[in-house]
Amino acid sequence: MSESNLNLRSWSDVRKELFTPEEIAESDKRVKELAQAKANYEDLKARGDDAIGENALEFIDSLMTEEEIAESDLRVALIGELVKARQEKGISQKKLEELSGVKQPVIARMEKGTTSPQIDTILKVLVPLGKTLAVVPLESVTAGDKTE
């Protein structure tokens, strides 16, 4: 992969750069709660529908799947690389707006993770940063994520 392509880093590294220790602690708390919810779900499945009403089971089924979690992790890594590239170049969000044509509030929401940007929006933001996207085998992305 050439230098102009994104190098995805582990979620652990990215989140230390993007979030405060308090935000990380809150996220870790939510992950533990999700794990407990999954354990509770398995218990409910073992005891059958008599243990709780069907609507509650449908709600529990609506929790994120492993695939959704993996997708989220990739999205976080991508945005983390975008933020890192912008900061390394010393470019403000406002300056990136001027260079990319993407409005600063949109860039801010992308960086905070409060929006799921279209690919064309990501590309518009990456170009002035000297970056692009690359399609690589998933194994090569996750192989570097063994530090957690």
Side-chain angles (χ1 to χ4, degrees), residues 96-140:
L96 189 53
E97 172 186 356
E98 295 171 21
L99 297 171
S100 68
V102 176
K103 297 290 184 189
Q104 183 274 328
V106 173
I107 295 169
R109 286 192 301 271
M110 283 174 51
E111 290 186 2
K112 282 185 173 182
T114 58
T115 187
S116 291
Q118 299 281 329
I119 289 176
D120 61 331
T121 303
I122 294 171
L123 292 172
K124 286 178 187 177
V125 171
L126 288 174
V127 169
L129 299 174
K131 302 287 185 177
T132 190
L133 291 178
V135 177
V136 297
L138 191 56
E139 296 79 30
S140 68

Side-chain angles (χ1 to χ4, degrees), residues 8-31:
L8 297 178
R9 297 172 296 143
S10 75
W11 166 235
S12 179
D13 292 340
V14 171
R15 75 184 202 155
K16 286 177 186 173
E17 292 178 17
L18 294 177
F19 303 106
T20 66
E22 294 80 12
E23 290 170 323
I24 291 171
E26 181 63 27
S27 175
D28 289 346
K29 178 182 170 189
R30 282 185 254 143
V31 167

Side-chain angles (χ1 to χ4, degrees), residues 23-131:
E23 290 170 323
I24 291 171
E26 181 63 27
S27 175
D28 289 346
K29 178 182 170 189
R30 282 185 254 143
V31 167
K32 287 178 185 175
E33 290 170 349
L34 179 59
Q36 182 61 54
K38 286 182 178 183
N40 292 347
Y41 174 66
E42 292 303 320
D43 179 58
L44 290 172
K45 279 190 349 187
R47 292 190 289 150
D49 286 344
D50 293 335
I52 193 165
E54 287 183 38
N55 288 340
L57 290 176
E58 288 175 17
F59 170 74
I60 292 170
D61 279 336
S62 71
L63 295 175
M64 289 177 70
T65 65
E66 287 184 32
E67 292 81 13
E68 290 168 327
I69 292 169
E71 179 183 317
S72 176
D73 288 347
L74 287 173
R75 186 172 35 254
V76 167
L78 172 65
I79 297 302
E81 287 298 319
L82 185 149
V83 172
K84 179 183 172 199
R86 181 180 63 75
Q87 290 173 342
E88 285 176 350
K89 289 204 172 259
I91 297 174
S92 68
Q93 290 178 350
K94 190 65 178 168
K95 182 65 175 175
L96 189 53
E97 172 186 356
E98 295 171 21
L99 297 171
S100 68
V102 176
K103 297 290 184 189
Q104 183 274 328
V106 173
I107 295 169
R109 286 192 301 271
M110 283 174 51
E111 290 186 2
K112 282 185 173 182
T114 58
T115 187
S116 291
Q118 299 281 329
I119 289 176
D120 61 331
T121 303
I122 294 171
L123 292 172
K124 286 178 187 177
V125 171
L126 288 174
V127 169
L129 299 174
K131 302 287 185 177

